[in-house]
Amino acid sequence: MTSEELREEFIGVLKKEFPLIRVRDTNLKSGNIRISPYVPNNKKNKRWMQIDANPEYLSIAMDHSFNDIKLEDINNLNLQYGLNGSHSAIQLQKNNDAVNISIFTTEPYDFSNNGFVNFLHKHYQSYLKLVK
């Protein structure tokens, strides 16, 4: 499976679970396309995520309200903790306002599993606090 296919699967889950989101595509200098899901609103169209399909892996950066997501929220997602550049993994940013996920093409992930979908819903609610 390619990183583009992983990205399409992930975006499919997002669109199914969060029908209000819109996606914005940006062409990067590298030639890659960055996809940024967001919820349109009157104040600002701040992105929820930044999704990049790199040659070997899918990179997902997810913004949330400060301190809303804890290690306990991500420990049961069957992803290694700590990004190391060679395995699918998840990590909280040190300032605890974002989650980073890398999914390698050699280690695909089921984005539709209940645990991950529940995590997405919790994360989405935290993101909405940022944009309201």
Side-chain angles (χ1 to χ4, degrees):
M1 179 173 280
T2 68
S3 58
E4 289 86 6
E5 291 169 326
L6 286 169
R7 179 171 57 193
E8 290 308 311
E9 280 189 10
F10 182 60
I11 291 170
V13 170
L14 292 179
K15 287 182 176 181
K16 177 183 175 204
E17 295 292 326
F18 310 99
L20 294 179
I21 69 161
R22 301 294 175 258
V23 294
R24 180 177 24 232
D25 295 359
T26 305
N27 292 316
L28 303 176
K29 289 180 183 178
S30 65
N32 291 341
I33 297 172
R34 171 171 290 157
I35 296 180
S36 299
Y38 67 98
V39 173
N41 63 48
N42 293 331
K43 292 185 179 178
K44 53 187 170 181
N45 289 333
K46 182 183 181 348
R47 69 173 166 81
W48 176 21
M49 298 180 197
Q50 178 175 294
I51 307 167
D52 295 332
N54 299 297
E56 291 89 26
Y57 64 96
L58 181 67
S59 174
I60 305 166
M62 306 170 60
D63 294 340
H64 60 262
S65 187
F66 175 73
N67 218 23
D68 273 0
I69 303 298
K70 310 279 190 235
L71 281 176
E72 302 83 52
D73 297 316
I74 60 176
N75 279 340
N76 297 324
L77 298 178
N78 293 322
L79 286 167
Q80 175 181 318
Y81 186 81
L83 305 180
N84 65 15
S86 62
H87 292 287
S88 292
I90 191 168
Q91 180 174 309
L92 277 173
Q93 283 292 340
K94 290 181 182 173
N95 57 357
N96 200 357
D97 66 354
V99 172
N100 294 100
I101 303 172
S102 292
I103 303 296
F104 280 76
T105 58
T106 55
E107 299 174 353
Y109 186 76
D110 179 10
F111 297 112
S112 64
N113 78 68
N114 287 338
F116 189 74
V117 169
N118 290 338
F119 166 74
L120 285 175
H121 279 274
K122 179 171 185 169
H123 198 280
Y124 180 74
Q125 292 305 312
S126 178
Y127 157 74
L128 289 179
K129 287 184 189 178
L130 292 174
V131 298
K132 300 265 179 192

